[in-house]
Amino acid sequence: MAGRIAVPPMAEEGSRALIPLDFVRGLFNTIEKPLIVAERNGNLLLVNTRAEQFVESHGYAITPGLNLFKDLLKTDARKIFEELEKGEHRLEHHFQIGGVKSTVLVQWMPGPDWLVVEIKSKSETQTGADPATQLTVQELLQEREITYRNLLAAYLKLQEVNRQKTVFLASAAHELKTPLAVIKGYYDLLLAGSLGRLTDKQRDILEESKDSCERLVRLVSMFLNYSALESGKLVLQLRENDLRDCLDELSKRWVEAFQRKSVKLDASFDPSIPTFRFDYQKVQQAAANLLDNALKHTPSGGTVTLRAAPHFWERRVAALAPVEERRRFRLPRPNSVEVSVTDSGPGIAAEHHQEIFEDFVRVDRNTSGMGLGLAIAKRLIQAHRGKIWVESESRGSRFTFLLPMDQG
């Protein structure tokens, strides 16, 4: 093909204008529709990018010598021109390429005796089908709007049901909290011998009853924490506290429960942990939930360890210190505290490592509980801008959470 295209005169006295072929191709490629310009004999003059993509997607390549009628449309040129010369300057022709039925619009330009072929996409072809079977754009938009409103109504209804459930749990927990505290107080008085001496059998019965009462107190406390978290009413009381005192107090409180099950509780806290701002009760509650979970899944004769130590937490969102300051210290300064609870139980399968921190999820159905302990622990730690995770293989599990020392 020559490097220039000769355009016929626009008027009788006009002369032919020579336009650079690259310029014409550039203009042709800006057209969004697949277009081909061919001579009367079927030789291709111009093929824009969209048409090339269409042809190549059906197993053909635009190569020199490719003929419009023989290779692409699979038809006799005379049939096309018979229709066009009758006065039909725009003809619709159906053909098959690469096993796919397609349609082209053929327009004849009598002056240069060229054919301009527009390839219609499948979606455009389908829209020309029976109008009774086609949805208009307006109908589709209306249908989507109706679906959206129905989904929104269902979502709001579920939210209201969930709110009512949370309110009910909170009310029930509040109603149970006071009488349980009174019952627990009487158990303490009886076991201390303040109301008279007890036989060994009486003491065993009271201790078992007190254990059940304490379990109910923990459930009530868990429900109260859950309702506060669900309603968004959780408020952290951030004060300068000693995490070692917090965890040491907790471990001493749990010693008796571990002894009753013949499970060893080994607590150890790094003395270099500095004081920092955190909610004493909330962190203690999170650690207590982890201890409770470990005790449930550790068999008699097993061991549970509670550890705490300074840790450097390199968070991606944290602002990096200047290069000079980072070079000054070979080892990064601890910016958080790592607390871990490790048990010698049966372990947790890898596929459950994420879902066990969700509400009301219980992997082991043989243990007691509501499946809220780990979920509450996760929310309490996240409220401190911390993170919590589990590591477990075939035997034993290690639950770890990080608390940033800078709570802002």
Side-chain angles (χ1 to χ4, degrees):
M1 189 180 296
R4 293 174 179 269
I5 289 182
V7 180
M10 301 302 292
E12 292 180 2
E13 67 278 11
S15 60
R16 286 179 177 266
L18 294 178
I19 303 176
L21 182 58
D22 290 339
F23 179 76
V24 176
R25 281 177 175 162
L27 290 176
F28 205 51
N29 285 332
T30 61
I31 301 174
E32 291 294 323
K33 295 182 178 180
L35 292 179
I36 298 175
V37 178
E39 295 178 315
R40 189 182 187 90
N41 58 9
N43 291 335
L44 304 184
L45 293 174
L46 290 171
V47 181
N48 73 351
T49 305
R50 291 299 181 112
E52 285 185 10
Q53 293 172 349
F54 175 85
V55 173
E56 290 173 357
S57 67
H58 290 80
Y60 288 82
I62 303 298
T63 57
L66 192 71
N67 190 276
L68 174 67
F69 301 110
K70 293 179 182 179
D71 301 317
L72 296 180
L73 301 185
K74 308 289 186 182
T75 187
D76 190 347
R78 288 176 295 181
K79 292 182 180 180
I80 299 290
F81 279 99
E82 281 177 5
E83 294 294 330
L84 291 172
E85 289 171 352
K86 288 179 183 179
E88 295 289 338
H89 289 283
R90 192 174 178 86
L91 175 68
E92 187 174 273
H93 176 74
H94 303 284
F95 71 107
Q96 190 164 329
I97 180 172
V100 179
K101 294 181 179 179
S102 303
T103 304
V104 293
L105 292 178
V106 183
Q107 185 173 353
W108 180 39
M109 298 175 65
D113 201 16
W114 290 348
L115 292 176
V116 179
V117 180
E118 176 189 338
I119 304 173
K120 297 180 69 176
S121 66
K122 188 176 180 181
S123 59
E124 291 175 327
T125 305
Q126 288 176 343
T127 55
D130 184 6
T133 64
Q134 303 296 321
L135 287 174
T136 65
V137 174
Q138 187 64 28
E139 288 172 335
L140 288 171
L141 290 174
Q142 290 175 352
E143 184 177 342
R144 188 180 70 173
E145 181 69 18
I146 292 171
T147 303
Y148 169 76
R149 289 181 179 179
N150 289 339
L151 287 173
L152 181 60
Y155 171 76
L156 293 175
K157 185 176 180 180
L158 286 174
Q159 286 289 92
E160 177 59 22
V161 171
N162 188 59
R163 189 193 67 81
Q164 292 177 358
K165 176 199 70 177
T166 304
V167 170
F168 169 77
L169 286 175
S171 300
H174 276 292
E175 291 296 323
L176 289 170
K177 187 177 181 181
T178 302
L180 283 173
V182 173
I183 294 171
K184 184 175 179 297
Y186 281 129
Y187 280 132
D188 291 335
L189 283 173
L190 289 169
L191 289 169
S194 301
L195 302 179
R197 295 187 62 181
L198 300 173
T199 64
D200 291 342
K201 186 174 182 180
Q202 289 172 334
R203 183 172 295 277
D204 290 341
I205 292 173
L206 285 174
E207 285 181 348
E208 187 176 344
S209 300
K210 182 187 175 184
D211 185 45
S212 298
C213 180
E214 287 177 343
R215 187 163 64 249
L216 279 175
V217 170
R218 287 197 297 271
L219 282 174
V220 168
S221 177
M222 199 171 293
F223 279 133
L224 287 173
N225 283 322
Y226 177 74
S227 62
L229 291 165
E230 280 291 287
S231 60
K233 295 179 180 179
L234 177 69
V235 179
L236 295 181
Q237 304 295 330
L238 297 176
R239 294 187 178 88
E240 198 79 12
N241 290 307
D242 190 330
L243 185 64
R244 291 173 300 171
D245 290 344
C246 174
L247 297 177
D248 185 58
E249 177 186 314
L250 176 68
S251 62
K252 290 176 179 177
R253 193 185 304 163
W254 277 82
V255 165
E256 187 179 346
F258 276 81
Q259 288 176 346
R260 283 198 296 268
K261 195 178 176 183
S262 300
V263 175
K264 181 183 177 182
L265 176 59
D266 180 15
S268 175
F269 316 118
D270 194 312
S272 65
I273 299 176
T275 59
F276 63 99
R277 288 165 57 82
F278 66 91
D279 189 315
Y280 194 95
Q281 297 297 331
K282 299 296 188 296
V283 170
Q284 200 172 72
Q285 178 67 56
N289 289 0
L290 297 185
L291 287 177
D292 184 37
N293 181 74
L295 181 59
K296 287 178 185 175
H297 296 91
T298 302
S300 179
T303 302
V304 172
T305 60
L306 174 63
R307 297 281 186 269
H311 178 82
F312 175 71
W313 182 10
E314 188 174 2
R315 292 190 287 181
R316 294 178 183 177
V317 297
L320 292 176
V323 177
E324 296 79 7
E325 185 177 342
R326 279 183 284 161
R327 288 175 178 170
R328 197 182 307 160
F329 304 99
R330 292 186 178 180
L331 294 176
R333 289 178 175 177
N335 59 2
S336 64
V337 177
E338 180 183 271
V339 180
S340 64
V341 174
T342 307
D343 64 59
S344 56
I348 303 169
E351 60 266 26
H352 301 308
H353 286 188
Q354 296 296 326
E355 67 180 38
I356 57 173
F357 291 103
E358 297 176 5
D359 299 343
F360 301 105
V361 171
R362 291 170 56 203
V363 176
D364 185 0
R365 297 291 176 180
N366 296 321
T367 59
S368 61
M370 298 294 294
L372 282 175
L374 296 178
I376 290 173
K378 178 182 178 180
R379 295 195 191 186
L380 293 175
I381 297 305
Q382 287 180 339
H384 284 81
R385 299 188 298 115
K387 65 178 291 189
I388 185 171
W389 70 95
V390 63
E391 298 166 278
S392 181
E393 296 181 358
S394 58
R395 295 289 299 177
S397 302
R398 183 175 187 262
F399 286 84
T400 307
F401 65 81
L402 293 178
L403 285 177
M405 292 183 187
D406 181 15
Q407 290 294 335

